[in-house]
Amino acid sequence: MQPDAEQISATVFAALADPNRRALLTALAEVGPSTATELGTRLGITRQGVTKHLDLLEEAGLVTSTAGTGRRVLSQHRTAPLKIAQSYLAALAADWD
């Protein structure tokens, strides 16, 4: 396990504690790169709310943002931090068995 796996996992768990952020990640996994407006329409969340949640997800490494055409910013989910958190939990579970 990576030495910083506990810190990465803690950040992932904190980011995933909010149901709106979990819904955003699910939507990004289902439809691929999307704008805040597209995500807000899909989930019934204001664009400003989506942007706030995407910023927190990006800080946790779960989302990346790239420039689209014009002023559009596309967000995309990342699985690497989730895999680290999954490994962290698996190591803890192994100690319990």
Side-chain angles (χ1 to χ4, degrees), residues 62-83:
L62 295 166
V63 169
T64 59
S65 298
T66 57
T69 57
R71 294 178 47 198
R72 294 171 37 125
V73 175
L74 296 174
S75 295
Q76 182 174 331
H77 77 291
R78 291 186 63 238
T79 58
L82 286 173
K83 290 178 181 178

Side-chain angles (χ1 to χ4, degrees), residues 40-72:
T41 300
R42 181 179 177 93
L43 299 174
I45 304 171
T46 66
R47 185 183 57 78
Q48 293 84 359
V50 169
T51 300
K52 173 186 148 196
H53 289 301
L54 287 174
D55 287 345
L56 290 168
L57 289 168
E58 192 162 1
E59 287 176 21
L62 295 166
V63 169
T64 59
S65 298
T66 57
T69 57
R71 294 178 47 198
R72 294 171 37 125

